[in-house]
Amino acid sequence: MKPYTDFEPPPALAVTLGGRRRLAELQKLHSVAGESLLVDEEASAVGILRIEFSWPLNDGRTIGLRAVYPDTFPRLRPHVFLTCDPSEYPKRHCGSEGALCLLGRDTRYWQANMSLAELLNENLAHVLDGTGAEDPQGEPIEYWWNNRGHARGSFVLVDSEWKLAGYDEGTVDVLVTASRTEIGRTIRAAILRVDAGDGSLLAERAAPPPAAIFSNAFCASFPWRRDDQLSLPTGSDEQTMSKVAYGKTYVTCDGADIRLSFTVSKTELQHNEHGDAWVCGMAVQEHISRPSRRGPRRRDTVASIVPVFRDGEIDIGYRVPSVASLRGKRIAIVGLGALGSPAAVELARNGCTSLHLMDDDVVEPGNAIRWELGASSWGTKKQDALKRFIEREYPWTSVLAVSHRIGSPTCDPHIPEDTDRLNELLDSVDLVVDASAAPGVTYLLGDICRERGLSLISVFASPNLHGGAVVFHHPESGCPVCMAHANETPEGKSGHIPYPNGMNDESTLVQPPGCSELTFTGASFDLKELSLETVRMAVDVLSSPDEWTVSEVRTVNLHNLKRRMPPSWRIDPLERHPDCGCRS
């Protein structure tokens, strides 16, 4: 460090706009901090500004600070740290390493024309005294411990609904996968059960662990203990790990002895809302490949932190409360092509409890260009590929896969007919989605849903994909046949609903080599506009069914006959048509 008055700016600081701004920062800070301002010459030689100084407060205190300016300054803020013990200041504003929260974390709070000197004058005293405005957010201790983790790619799954208050120790049953990768030892685990010291059950996992992660896992028991005095991680790694990597129980897996230890500590999980934080310490002793006559030889034990993730029912979907209506719901989807497959995956991603999927087509390299999954699904029936993918990646969603092509005649008494398959598909569902893009199937589903009192959402695109529609059919309002009548009603007449743009233009249809049918040439990024609107409509219908008593047509325009354009939607009510038989 060198006094500012003796500091000569190197070219790395002087020649760029950001560099000149840093030099201006030094001048402003020196005008207040005076001779206490020191500059790190080695860092400045490579264009990084690191400084230390003492900052006077209006009440007579002088605070020692260190500041580091990122190379992206002034667009991004400098980082400021206390050089004294931070424990005497509010933890909400002063991190364990002395980092100061002078502004909210969001980058919008820092403007390029701001200076650190102005920020310190305005906010430093408030930060140190715990006064002034602050972000309404909690400071969960596990966040800071997770960031000290060195077990890259590793994690442990817990549930936020578990309540362990009043208990001090016990054991946890943990599902574990362990492997050595290019980035080191990787541990992925899910706590299945939490027991008290006397063996009584305190909590257990509700959802099945993701099969994509735990297909080759084993179960082991490890200790947990409560430490409500657990502080934020500070000091050396050895000091840090000694607090949480305390367990003696180990399992041997993949050429290593592995110990996991769990510490539970009361913390502020959300703003002014307290609960249990989980910290996982891991100690690994790798075996040397050539064992001695006495058995495996082992390397030194290496301790690290395994990050804790939360995947309980309230954790999944917490960031998107609007999709809570999908929990506990069953949705049937007929047709799993370019429109139905994205809708199915989105519904699963957002927490739908059960999907009933019907199709009989096979994923090929050609049709995969518009399909939701990639090459790993080639040669697989669409409903089966989606079932495996969804249940592997979104374990809270179960999938019933029904293999059937509606309207295919059969004389074999052992092959179920349309009615049997549709009864299986529609059993106990709350909503039906028709993505078949086949008018006959749509009319049939309209009849069945009206008889069963089910709402139907139908989605289709025009052959040239210049437009499309997502239609909600209430069982006591306009049906798919009413929709056809409304399309044929002359423009300007009551009840007229225009066809989607390009609906009668089949000039762009093509027959791919080896395919028995003509197909459209639209891209998935246009079709997904319709799939996503289908999901949005499903969420809204299930959230507020009393507000959806009249059928509704949402038509999108994607093209102006010259070029693709941003999606433009119109909405029309669809009443029962006087010439439709659904009135009887």
Side-chain angles (χ1 to χ4, degrees), residues 10 74 78 140 164 178 242 247 270 291 338 389 444 554:
L164 307 183
S242 65
Q270 298 169 290
F389 174 80
L444 173 66
R554 296 185 176 182

Side-chain angles (χ1 to χ4, degrees), residues 139-180:
E139 295 292 341
I141 191 174
E142 69 192 46
Y143 170 82
W144 304 102
W145 279 95
N146 284 350
N147 284 340
R148 288 294 292 263
H150 301 297
R152 296 172 59 193
S154 299
F155 59 79
V156 176
L157 301 178
V158 303
D159 190 330
S160 292
E161 286 192 311
W162 294 344
K163 309 298 182 186
L164 307 183
Y167 296 91
D168 296 326
E169 61 181 5
T171 59
V172 291
D173 291 343
V174 185
L175 195 65
V176 182
T177 63
S179 61
R180 280 179 290 192

Side-chain angles (χ1 to χ4, degrees), residues 476-479 482-483 486 497 550-551 573-578 583:
E476 297 179 2
S477 187
C479 73
C482 296
M483 171 76 172
I497 298 176
V550 176
S551 298
L574 177 63
E575 301 281 358
R576 282 183 169 175
H577 196 276
R583 297 174 61 89

Side-chain angles (χ1 to χ4, degrees), residues 205-483:
R205 184 179 176 87
I213 300 171
F214 297 104
S215 57
N216 297 312
F218 63 92
C219 193
S221 182
F222 296 102
W224 74 269
R225 68 185 184 190
R226 176 172 292 281
D227 181 3
D228 287 336
Q229 305 305 313
L230 184 66
S231 61
L232 297 178
T234 58
S236 67
D237 284 346
E238 183 177 349
Q239 293 173 324
T240 297
M241 301 308 163
S242 65
K243 298 179 182 179
V244 294
Y246 58 86
K248 305 300 181 183
T249 304
Y250 71 89
V251 294
T252 299
C253 177
D254 192 34
D257 296 338
I258 301 170
R259 302 198 311 264
L260 297 181
S261 313
F262 295 90
T263 301
V264 176
S265 183
K266 183 178 179 181
T267 190
E268 185 185 37
L269 291 177
Q270 298 169 290
H271 187 58
N272 292 330
E273 295 289 336
H274 289 76
D276 286 331
W278 287 79
V279 177
C280 177
M282 177 175 69
V284 176
Q285 195 172 39
E286 300 283 355
H287 297 177
I288 297 176
S289 57
R290 294 183 180 180
S292 68
R293 293 181 180 179
R294 298 180 180 178
R297 293 187 296 172
R298 294 171 171 81
R299 303 184 189 277
D300 292 339
T301 300
V302 177
S304 60
I305 300 298
V306 179
V308 173
F309 297 157
R310 296 169 178 265
D311 78 325
E313 182 179 357
I314 67 169
D315 303 302
I316 300 299
Y318 194 92
R319 292 166 172 81
V320 189
S322 63
V323 300
S325 59
L326 293 179
R327 297 175 193 162
K329 295 296 190 290
R330 291 181 172 87
I331 299 177
I333 304 179
V334 177
L336 301 172
L339 291 169
S341 63
V345 172
E346 278 298 317
L347 288 168
R349 190 196 322 274
N350 286 282
C352 183
T353 295
S354 181
L355 290 172
H356 295 192
L357 306 181
M358 174 179 281
D359 206 308
D360 195 48
D361 196 12
V362 174
V363 185
E364 303 177 24
N367 62 27
I369 194 172
R370 283 195 297 244
W371 211 61
E372 189 64 12
L373 308 183
S376 62
S377 62
W378 292 356
T380 307
K381 290 290 184 74
K382 291 178 176 178
Q383 71 278 0
D384 294 332
L386 283 171
K387 175 181 172 66
R388 283 198 293 269
F389 174 80
I390 289 171
E391 292 186 339
R392 184 177 70 245
E393 302 295 334
Y394 307 109
W396 52 85
T397 301
S398 64
V399 178
L400 170 67
V402 179
S403 179
H404 187 69
R405 187 182 300 274
I406 297 175
S408 297
T410 178
C411 295
D412 188 339
H414 301 292
I415 299 178
E417 295 186 346
D418 288 346
T419 300
D420 296 326
R421 284 302 200 191
L422 287 170
N423 285 336
E424 179 185 4
L425 179 80
L426 302 180
D427 181 41
S428 302
V429 300
D430 301 286
L431 180 69
V432 180
V433 174
D434 164 41
S436 66
V441 173
T442 304
Y443 299 150
L444 173 66
L445 290 174
D447 294 340
I448 296 174
C449 288
R450 187 170 65 255
E451 292 171 2
R452 290 173 171 252
L454 288 171
S455 292
L456 169 69
I457 296 176
S458 178
V459 54
F460 59 91
S462 59
N464 60 13
L465 204 50
H466 286 184
V470 180
V471 188
F472 166 71
H473 296 286
H474 189 276
E476 297 179 2
S477 187
C479 73
V481 178
C482 296
M483 171 76 172

